[in-house]
Amino acid sequence: RRTRELADGDWGGHVEMLEECGYSETDKRLRGRRPQTTARATRTGRAAFEAELGALRALVRRLTDRRTRDDSK
């Protein structure tokens, strides 16, 4: 949440959606009197994330290759 600078409610909505897809698991506890929620990626979530990264890397390679070809004309 801090890394993305999301409000608690926004973060919770994203985590809930990921949990519904089977991509994350959450643990809700009280830390003193304050609620604390932690989330972690499941195996399915990590695999989906790696697949997305692979697709993004392939896209960047294609765009870089196209730009290199265009610059050499």
Side-chain angles (χ1 to χ4, degrees), residues 7-47:
D8 289 343
D10 294 335
W11 182 82
H14 290 287
V15 170
E16 185 178 316
M17 188 181 308
L18 291 169
E19 196 168 20
E20 288 173 7
C21 295
Y23 291 167
S24 72
E25 296 175 341
T26 58
D27 182 36
K28 297 180 181 189
R29 299 178 185 195
L30 284 178
R31 187 174 186 177
R33 294 183 179 182
R34 298 178 62 111
Q36 180 180 29
T37 302
T38 55
R40 69 177 190 84
T42 61
R43 282 187 184 159
T44 301
R46 284 190 293 277

Side-chain angles (χ1 to χ4, degrees), residues 25-72:
E25 296 175 341
T26 58
D27 182 36
K28 297 180 181 189
R29 299 178 185 195
L30 284 178
R31 187 174 186 177
R33 294 183 179 182
R34 298 178 62 111
Q36 180 180 29
T37 302
T38 55
R40 69 177 190 84
T42 61
R43 282 187 184 159
T44 301
R46 284 190 293 277
F49 181 71
E50 290 297 328
E52 185 67 21
L53 281 178
L56 289 170
R57 287 181 180 122
L59 175 62
V60 168
R61 274 194 302 276
R62 282 197 312 270
L63 293 173
T64 302
D65 290 346
R66 182 185 301 168
R67 184 172 181 191
T68 302
R69 283 193 309 269
D70 291 345
D71 288 348
S72 65

